[in-house]
């Protein structure tokens, strides 16, 4: 998650992040297939969750359940 967030903050696209994280299908998919791919959804969720953690949600990890 942190790697994805760092890459996004440095200006990488979601497709570039997916390729960096080992999702090899991201490179060879067409633009329309990429928009509906599981790899894209995975990366979008990682970046979204990383932003949430950065903005304070990390405190949820520290709560005693």
């Amino acid at each position: 998650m942190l790697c994805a967030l760092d890459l996004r903050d440095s200006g990488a696209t979601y497709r570039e992040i997916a390729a960096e994280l080992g999702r090899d299908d991201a490179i060879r998919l067409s633009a329309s297939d990429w928009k509906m791919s599981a790899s894209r959804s995975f990366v979008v969720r990682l970046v979204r969750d990383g932003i949430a953690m950065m903005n304070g949600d990390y405190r949820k990890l520290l709560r005693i359940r």
Side-chain angles (χ1 to χ4, degrees):
M1 187 184 304
L2 293 175
C3 183
L5 185 60
D6 286 343
L7 288 167
R8 188 64 180 171
D9 285 345
S10 68
T13 64
Y14 289 132
R15 189 183 288 239
E16 292 168 342
I17 295 168
E20 186 69 28
L21 295 178
R23 299 282 183 145
D24 298 329
D25 62 330
I27 301 299
R28 55 178 197 260
L29 291 174
S30 67
S32 60
D33 288 339
W34 167 250
K35 288 184 181 183
M36 296 182 296
S37 75
S39 293
R40 182 180 180 276
S41 298
F42 173 74
V43 171
V44 169
R45 279 193 310 271
L46 274 180
V47 171
R48 182 195 64 211
D49 293 347
I51 290 170
M53 290 288 181
M54 182 178 67
N55 290 331
D57 275 358
Y58 68 91
R59 293 181 192 116
K60 290 180 183 176
L61 297 174
L62 303 174
R63 287 189 200 152
I64 298 174
R65 295 183 186 245

